[in-house]
Amino acid sequence: MLKLNSSFRSLASRSLSTRQLFYEKRGKPEKVVQLRTIELADTLAPEEVLIEWQAAPINPADINQIQGTYAVRPSLPAAAGLEGAARVSKIGSAVKSVKPGDQVLTSYVIPGTWTDFGIYDQKNLIKIDNDLPIEHAALFKVNPPSVYLMLKEYAQLKKGDWVVQNCANSAAGKQVIQIARILGFKTFNVIRNRENLGELVKEMKDMGADEVVTEDELYDKKKKIKMPRAKLALNGVGGKSSLYLATALESGGCMVTYGGMSRQPTQAPTAPLIFNDISLRGFWLMTWILAQKDERALQKMYADLSGWMKSGEIAPIPMVKRSLDEHEEALAEAQVKFDKKQVFFMKKQ
């Protein structure tokens, strides 16, 4: 029997079986992740909650954690999956924060979302809007709050201001386009060239993108593409692409790095650093979450995002729905196909 994730309570009496994706060593996700059946306690402690997972995505952070290249390295064997949405099935006698049927996320320090059921202490659950569709709720924990905070915390943007970004066709990039549009900001979006370029550009402009260019077009001196002056640049790629973003910053502007898809160091031009006092910042959602002492900021963010999603102002991220049994194929595709998110749905759709 595998050692269970620490979020599960180990009791002598067990009756509920659950499938869960585990890995016993770090490496290529499609090779090391395995599907196991484990038993959960049939009795809940007073503060515990039994939840049934509905859907959970494969994010770059999941891939990196399984590979062993992420900042957080759980002890092995480890339960996989950092994000997802669930419904409360049963509560302990002292639980007051949630009730059966509530839609919940697990806290930002609890992994193990690629499973059917889980038992958690009530303090490790976050209640979200019960009416938020699962296509939004499953991907609600990471990208939407990250984008919301990057757009609000690092520059004093006014309506009509430009935000420049690379990795613009990723799940996070598409939400930058939509949330910036809602807040009244313009976006200049850099993507990689591809076969379906025209189709992708149309999709992004339908979301609200003001300008979309490829890296090849941006780097081609003959095309003379002029980037707008911006107070904020969002960098998810690094390398040469980040250099161009930083060059677009106006005096006092800020480039926020939240990812490094190129696996190359983030670059910045020397003259703007010295003479324009531009700044380079890093963003990790966990840092902001752990620093919050007032829950009202978190709840306002969730309420804003939920409202925009339910009204249709933020569209669901395009996804490929997978069963847990399809984990090998889903993990392989998550590393090479970025236009659609691979998402585990625990029940047949």
Side-chain angles (χ1 to χ4, degrees):
M1 175 70 68
L2 283 175
K3 178 183 177 182
L4 299 184
N5 184 280
S6 60
S7 59
F8 295 135
R9 182 178 177 86
S10 178
L11 297 177
S13 176
R14 304 179 179 202
S15 65
L16 178 63
S17 295
T18 182
R19 300 172 304 158
Q20 188 170 48
L21 291 174
F22 277 93
Y23 55 104
E24 297 180 282
K25 61 182 180 179
R26 298 180 177 91
K28 292 183 177 180
E30 65 273 25
K31 300 296 183 184
V32 300
V33 171
Q34 303 174 59
L35 182 61
R36 303 290 179 92
T37 298
I38 59 175
E39 303 295 320
L40 300 183
D42 65 350
T43 303
L44 296 176
E47 300 284 339
E48 287 183 332
V49 179
L50 173 67
I51 64 175
E52 182 175 5
W53 287 99
Q54 306 296 303
I58 302 175
N59 289 326
D62 295 303
I63 298 296
N64 293 340
Q65 190 168 81
I66 296 166
Q67 292 169 332
T69 60
Y70 196 58
V72 178
R73 290 164 59 94
S75 58
L76 299 176
L82 297 171
E83 180 180 28
R87 292 278 180 182
V88 173
S89 293
K90 184 179 178 183
I91 61 174
S93 60
V95 173
K96 303 296 183 184
S97 58
V98 294
K99 63 183 182 301
D102 282 349
Q103 187 163 221
V104 295
L105 315 174
T106 50
S107 75
Y108 287 84
V109 296
I110 302 294
T113 61
W114 298 350
T115 185
D116 292 312
F117 294 93
I119 297 175
Y120 300 87
D121 191 290
Q122 66 171 332
K123 71 176 183 293
N124 289 324
L125 296 177
I126 302 168
K127 183 179 176 181
I128 61 173
D129 193 316
N130 245 21
D131 298 323
L132 189 63
I134 188 60
E135 287 79 9
H136 282 299
L139 286 78
F140 191 71
K141 180 176 170 180
V142 178
N143 281 339
S146 296
V147 170
Y148 182 98
L149 292 168
M150 287 192 293
L151 288 171
K152 283 179 167 282
E153 299 273 315
Y154 292 92
Q156 297 297 315
L157 298 176
K158 303 187 298 294
K159 288 187 176 182
D161 284 344
W162 283 92
V163 176
V164 296
Q165 68 160 336
N166 55 26
C167 208
N169 64 302
S170 66
K174 288 177 179 178
Q175 290 190 334
V176 167
I177 292 169
Q178 294 174 89
I179 295 175
R181 185 202 70 232
I182 292 167
L183 297 174
F185 313 144
K186 296 180 179 180
T187 56
F188 183 94
N189 304 277
V190 182
I191 61 176
R192 292 181 180 177
N193 205 358
R194 63 201 62 233
E195 290 182 0
N196 66 333
L197 181 62
E199 179 183 337
L200 176 60
V201 170
K202 182 181 183 305
E203 176 193 353
M204 294 171 68
K205 289 199 170 183
D206 287 345
M207 288 181 174
D210 293 280
E211 297 289 344
V212 182
V213 302
T214 67
E215 289 180 345
D216 293 342
E217 290 172 325
L218 188 61
Y219 303 159
D220 188 343
K221 293 182 179 179
K222 293 181 181 179
K223 289 193 178 291
K224 297 181 180 180
I225 290 177
K226 187 176 181 180
M227 299 180 72
R229 306 305 292 171
K231 294 179 180 178
L232 181 66
L234 302 179
N235 170 40
V237 176
K240 187 176 181 180
S241 179
S242 60
L243 176 64
Y244 274 74
L245 292 192
T247 302
L249 291 173
E250 63 182 47
S251 181
C254 178
M255 181 167 74
V256 181
T257 295
Y258 66 92
M261 295 298 290
S262 70
R263 299 185 180 179
Q264 297 175 359
T266 291
Q267 300 179 29
T270 301
L273 279 168
I274 297 173
F275 301 111
N276 292 343
D277 193 29
I278 67 170
S279 61
L280 309 179
R281 299 287 301 275
F283 176 84
W284 189 35
L285 180 60
M286 182 75 74
T287 302
W288 187 88
I289 294 292
L290 295 177
Q292 295 312 297
K293 295 183 172 60
D294 188 343
E295 283 290 313
R296 287 176 296 183
L298 192 63
Q299 293 306 319
K300 182 184 186 308
M301 177 174 68
Y302 286 157
D304 285 347
L305 291 168
S306 296
W308 295 334
M309 290 172 177
K310 292 198 301 180
S311 71
E313 292 180 275
I314 298 178
I317 293 297
M319 62 180 63
V320 179
K321 297 181 179 181
R322 299 286 195 175
S323 69
L324 292 177
D325 295 309
E326 298 175 301
H327 62 275
E328 186 174 338
E329 182 180 358
L331 286 163
E333 291 203 359
Q335 298 172 72
V336 296
K337 296 182 179 180
F338 306 109
D339 290 347
K340 293 184 179 180
K341 180 76 72 173
Q342 301 285 321
V343 182
F344 293 118
F345 277 73
M346 311 319 171
K347 294 182 178 179
K348 290 184 178 180
Q349 298 298 298

